Amino acid sequence: MLGLGVSAWLWLPDPQAWTSMMLALVAVALLALAVDRGGRASRAVAIGCAGVAIGLGLIWAKAERVASPPLTKPSVVRFEAHVERIEMLPPRGIVRLRLAPIRTIDRPGRRLAAALPAHVRVNLPIADMPRNLSRGAVVRLGARLVPPPPPSVPGAYDFARVAWFDGIGATGRGFGPIELIAPGDVSGGELRARLSMHVRAQVAGGPGAIAAALATGDQGAIPLDDAEAMRRAGLSHLLSVSGLHITAVVGIVMLVVLRLLSLSPWLALHWRLPLIAAGAGALAAIGYTILTGAEVPTVRSCVAALMVLLAVALGRAAMTLRLVATGAIIVLLCWPEALAGPSFQLSFAAVTAIIALHESPRVKAWFAARDEGWMPWLARQLASLLLTGIVVEAALSPIALYHFHKAGLYGSLANIVAIPLTTFVVMPAEALALLFDLVGLGTPFWWVVEQALRLVLAIAHAIAAAPGAVAALPAMPQSSFALMVLGGLWIALWRSAARLIGVVPLAIGAFWAVSTPPPDLLVTADGRHLALRTIDGEIALLRDRAGDYTRMMLAENGGFDGEPGLLSEHRFARCSRDLCIADRVIAGRQWRIVATRSAYLLPATDLIAACRGADIVVSERRLPLRCQPRWLRLDRPMLAQTGGVAITLATRQVVTVRQPDDRHPWRVPARAAQGSDNLCCSMQGLAKQKQL
C-alpha cells in the first residue's frame, strides 16, 4: 500500500489531484472504521487506505524537502566547488564528480555568470583529473552545464526525476585548466576507492573489475562489453551488491567467528556462541553495506539479513514474506522515490518470488530433506536451483523489459553455474585474499578469484552470443506494466487457490505489452536525431554521426536488438548533407517524412516546397511559417514544449514526453508559467495537426 501511494503520486499530474486522492483515501478509511462491526474487512480497508495515503504523502514531502532550483538554461561557467563524490569510469575514459559550487569566477569582459545550483554533476577526462583529488577537496574548473535532461524519447531514462531527488541541479562536461585549491580527506572517506584499486591491482582486466564490484560495489571499471554480456546473460545481478553478497559475507563471518570461539572449551560451555557469531555477522553486514555505498539493494539485503539473524536468535521462522515487507517499508520510509527505479523493483521482485515459491507446500514437499544418496541429493539441489532461476526470470523479465526494453531468456541456465561459483568460490576466496594480503600472502587466493571470474565471464559471453538470448520490446504502456506487477504481487501474496486470480491481470498486461506495436518514428527533444523503422524492422538513424548513448537509446526504445543503420543507406530515402526525404508505405498509405540533418540554413523556397509534399517535417531549427506539412510539423518551438516524440503511423498515435498538465517539480522548473501556457497551446496545436 505504501508503494501504491508512491506510484499514485508519480502517475497523477498535479497537486490538486494529489490532494483530492489523499482526502478521498482518508474519507474511505474513516468510513470503514465507522461501519466496523468487528470484522477484518473494514479494518483491512482502513489500513490499506491509510497506507496508500501515507505513501503518497511521503514522496510528496520528500520532493518538497529536497527541492533545489535547477539551472534554467545551458551555461558555460568557471567556478570553485567542493568535491562531494568521485566515481571513476575507466572504460569510458572519464571521472564523474559530484560538486557543491562555492562561487563563480567572472572573467573581465564577460557577462556575469548565472547562479549555480547547490549540487552539480560533471564529467572530466581522466587525463585532466588533478593528482590526489579526493572527497572534500576544493577545485577550480570550467564546465558547460545544462539542466538535468528529461527522457529523450517516450520510455527512455528520466534523469531529470533522478537528479531532482538526488539534489543535482545541473550536469555537464568539465574542461581545463583544473586546479586543486585545497586537498580533501584522504583517510577513511576514500577507503572504498582505495580498496577497489587494490583489488584491480591484484586481478587484471574484466575479472579484476568484477572482483572490485563484489568487494565494494564499484562497477565503474567493468569493461563495457563484459557488462553488456552479463546483462544479456541475466547475470548482472551479480555485479550489484545485494542479497547474494550480504548472505556470503554474513555466512563467512559467522562461520569463522563460531569456529574460532569453539576452540575454547570454556567459551563453548558458558556462552551461547551462535548468538555471538550472529552478532558478528550483523556487524559485518552493516559495515559491508556502508563500504559498498549503501545502495537500495544493499540496504534492503542488510535489513533482511539483520531480521534473519534476529529471528534465528528468537527461535522464529526467518525467511517469510513479512521479512520482505519490513525491508520494503524501511526503504520506502527513507527513500520513497526508489520505488520508481529498476534497482528497487528488481531486488524486491527477485526475493519475493524466491520466498513465495519456496513457501508453497508442494515445492516444500518436492525439495524437502530426505534420506538419500549424494547423487539424488545433488540432482534435487540442481532442480531446485533451476526452478528458482526460472521463476525469478519470469518475475524480473517484465521489469527489465519496461526499464531497459530487453530481457535475457537464458538467465536461469547461466545462474545454475554462476551463483554457486560466486557464492562458494569467488566470495570466500576474495575474503581470504584480502585477509592474507595483510601479511603479503594473498596471491594464491587472488589466482582462484581470477580463474573463477574468468569462467563466469566465459559463461556470460557464451550465453549472450547464443541465438535468441535476448527478447527486445519497445517502450510498453505504463498500464500494461501496472497490470503485470499487480498480477505478480497477487500470485506471490496468496497461498490458497485464490492466487490463480492474479493470472488474469498478469496475462492481460503481458498480452498488451507484447501486442503494442513498435513506433515507426522516434524524434529526440532537440530535433537533431530521428530514428525511422525500416521495411525489415530495423532502425535507421537520420545522422551519420550519433553518440553511442543516442544510438543505443533509440534502438532500445524502438524495440530493436542490434546496431542501428543509417537512413542515407536505404533506397526509400534520399539524403543530402542537409536534408533527408523518406517515403514509407504503412497500412496501405504512403507517408513522406522530411527531416533536416545539419545546422545550415536551406533556401526557404525549397524548404517550403518540400513541406507541401510531406506528411511529417522534423527539424532542430524553427521552420518558416509557410512550411505546413499535411500532418505534423515538429520543429524546435514545438519540440521544446512537447519533448521527445514517438509516432506509430499505422494508428496515427503520437506519444510525447511532456504533458500539458504535468506539474511534478522536476518538470515545472524547466518552464515558467508562460512556458506552461505555451505547452498547452502547443499540445492543442499538435492535437489539431493530428486530427487534420
Side-chain angles (χ1 to χ4, degrees):
M1 293 298 110
L2 281 175
L4 188 59
V6 173
S7 302
W9 186 85
L10 293 169
W11 179 64
L12 295 173
D14 53 38
Q16 182 178 358
W18 306 333
T19 304
S20 300
M21 183 168 184
M22 288 192 70
L23 293 176
L25 289 167
V26 172
V28 173
L30 293 176
L31 178 62
L33 293 176
V35 300
D36 183 19
R37 294 296 182 268
R40 299 176 60 184
S42 58
R43 290 199 299 272
V45 170
I47 293 173
C49 290
V52 176
I54 291 172
L56 195 153
L58 275 173
I59 189 168
W60 191 357
K62 179 70 176 288
E64 296 295 334
R65 187 171 70 253
V66 302
S68 178
L71 198 67
T72 56
K73 61 181 180 179
S75 302
V76 177
V77 296
R78 189 163 182 82
F79 61 100
E80 293 180 359
H82 286 289
V83 178
E84 296 182 327
R85 185 186 305 160
I86 302 175
E87 185 179 358
M88 301 294 297
L89 301 173
R92 304 180 187 178
I94 62 174
V95 56
R96 181 170 292 162
L97 305 179
R98 177 187 168 101
L99 304 173
I102 302 173
R103 64 186 182 94
T104 57
I105 301 171
D106 301 304
R107 298 176 181 175
R110 293 187 60 180
R111 297 177 62 183
L112 189 66
L116 294 180
H119 306 278
V120 301
R121 197 182 77 174
V122 173
N123 292 336
L124 294 176
I126 291 181
D128 294 343
M129 178 180 171
R131 289 187 176 183
N132 301 323
L133 183 66
S134 59
R135 247 173 48 184
V138 178
V139 294
R140 180 184 297 149
L141 74 160
R144 183 185 185 276
L145 300 176
V146 297
S152 298
V153 295
Y157 178 62
D158 191 355
F159 179 71
R161 185 192 68 230
V162 176
W164 178 269
F165 285 102
D166 198 22
I168 296 175
T171 183
R173 191 169 186 88
F175 51 82
I178 302 171
E179 307 172 43
L180 183 63
I181 305 300
D185 179 17
V186 295
S187 56
E190 296 303 312
L191 175 60
R192 182 186 184 193
R194 296 203 306 273
L195 184 57
S196 295
M197 293 178 62
H198 173 76
V199 173
R200 293 198 298 270
Q202 305 302 317
V203 182
I210 295 177
L214 295 176
T216 65
D218 180 10
Q219 303 181 32
I222 299 176
L224 299 180
D225 58 337
D226 288 341
E228 178 65 13
M230 295 285 284
R231 185 163 70 92
R232 293 172 66 89
L235 299 178
S236 57
H237 65 93
L238 298 177
L239 306 178
S240 176
V241 177
S242 55
L244 177 67
H245 311 81
I246 294 288
T247 301
V249 169
V250 172
I252 292 171
V253 170
M254 288 184 64
L255 180 63
V256 171
V257 171
L258 188 61
R259 295 303 183 188
L260 289 178
L261 294 180
S262 298
L263 295 176
S264 169
W266 187 87
L267 288 176
L269 292 173
H270 294 83
W271 292 85
R272 297 185 63 185
L273 298 187
L275 292 182
I276 298 176
L283 293 176
I286 296 172
Y288 187 49
T289 300
I290 296 173
L291 175 65
T292 54
E295 300 292 339
V296 171
T298 319
V299 172
R300 189 270 308 163
S301 303
C302 181
V303 171
L306 296 178
M307 293 192 62
V308 168
L309 295 173
L310 179 62
V312 170
L314 297 176
R316 300 289 298 274
M319 300 304 296
T320 66
L321 288 178
R322 289 189 178 90
L323 176 75
V324 184
T326 303
I329 288 173
I330 293 174
V331 173
L332 290 176
L333 289 176
C334 300
W335 304 280
E337 71 279 5
L339 179 76
S343 177
F344 179 97
Q345 296 173 14
L346 292 170
S347 176
F348 278 95
V351 70
T352 300
I354 291 171
I355 294 179
L357 172 68
H358 288 276
E359 280 189 345
S360 168
R362 182 171 297 179
V363 174
K364 282 184 178 180
W366 284 347
F367 302 114
R370 61 194 68 184
D371 188 12
E372 59 187 354
W374 71 271
M375 285 291 291
W377 175 86
L378 181 60
R380 193 179 300 279
Q381 297 304 313
L382 291 176
S384 174
L385 190 59
L386 178 61
L387 178 61
T388 302
I390 293 174
V391 171
V392 169
E393 286 296 323
L396 299 187
S397 292
I399 302 173
L401 289 171
Y402 177 75
H403 289 283
F404 311 119
H405 315 294
K406 291 181 180 180
L409 300 180
Y410 305 147
S412 55
L413 298 176
N415 279 292
I416 289 181
V417 179
I419 288 180
L421 194 61
T422 303
T423 306
F424 301 114
V425 178
V426 176
M427 295 288 288
E430 188 166 354
L432 291 172
L434 291 172
L435 179 63
F436 278 88
D437 272 350
L438 298 176
V439 293
L441 299 176
T443 302
F445 300 101
W446 287 122
W447 182 86
V448 173
V449 171
E450 181 176 4
Q451 300 310 311
L453 288 177
R454 287 191 184 279
L455 178 57
V456 171
L457 283 175
I459 294 172
H461 282 280
I463 294 293
V470 173
L473 280 182
M476 70 174 67
Q478 291 186 353
S479 299
S480 66
F481 179 62
L483 285 173
M484 286 189 283
V485 171
L486 291 176
L489 283 173
W490 185 276
I491 293 173
L493 294 177
W494 286 89
R495 297 184 181 180
S496 63
R499 65 170 35 175
L500 297 178
I501 298 175
V503 175
V504 176
L506 180 62
I508 294 174
F511 178 78
W512 188 355
V514 173
S515 61
T516 299
D520 298 297
L521 187 64
L522 288 170
V523 182
T524 58
D526 56 8
R528 287 179 53 83
H529 299 285
L530 175 151
L532 180 64
R533 182 167 295 276
T534 64
I535 299 172
D536 53 4
E538 297 182 356
I539 293 292
L541 302 184
L542 173 67
R543 294 180 182 258
D544 296 342
R545 295 183 179 180
D548 292 338
Y549 173 77
T550 299
R551 300 172 69 86
M552 178 188 68
M553 179 269 300
L554 291 174
E556 288 182 351
N557 284 274
F560 177 63
D561 180 30
E563 181 66 20
L566 298 177
L567 194 59
S568 58
E569 297 177 349
H570 290 271
R571 295 181 178 179
F572 62 80
R574 293 166 291 154
C575 296
S576 67
R577 294 179 59 185
D578 304 315
L579 190 74
C580 262
I581 300 176
D583 294 306
R584 285 290 320 277
V585 177
I586 297 176
R589 185 192 189 284
Q590 181 165 338
W591 296 85
R592 170 163 290 187
I593 298 103
V594 175
T596 61
R597 64 198 302 250
S598 77
Y600 294 100
L601 295 176
L602 297 171
T605 54
D606 295 343
L607 186 58
I608 292 171
C611 290
R612 290 197 188 103
D615 298 286
I616 302 171
V617 178
V618 180
S619 177
E620 64 177 307
R621 304 190 304 271
R622 180 188 294 272
L623 294 172
L625 293 178
R626 294 173 59 193
C627 176
Q628 295 296 332
R630 290 190 288 261
W631 191 42
L632 288 179
R633 186 177 75 170
L634 300 174
D635 59 352
R636 183 170 63 182
M638 176 67 74
L639 290 171
Q641 304 301 327
T642 63
V645 177
I647 302 173
T648 304
L649 296 176
T651 59
R652 300 196 179 192
Q653 181 183 21
V654 180
V655 181
T656 60
V657 168
R658 290 183 176 176
Q659 302 298 325
D661 56 349
D662 188 356
R663 304 297 296 174
H664 287 94
W666 55 89
R667 296 278 185 258
V668 175
R671 60 180 187 265
Q674 181 180 359
S676 180
D677 296 338
N678 291 340
L679 176 60
C680 294
C681 296
S682 298
M683 295 299 287
Q684 292 171 2
L686 182 61
K688 185 177 180 180
Q689 291 185 50
K690 289 162 58 180
Q691 292 172 2
L692 293 174

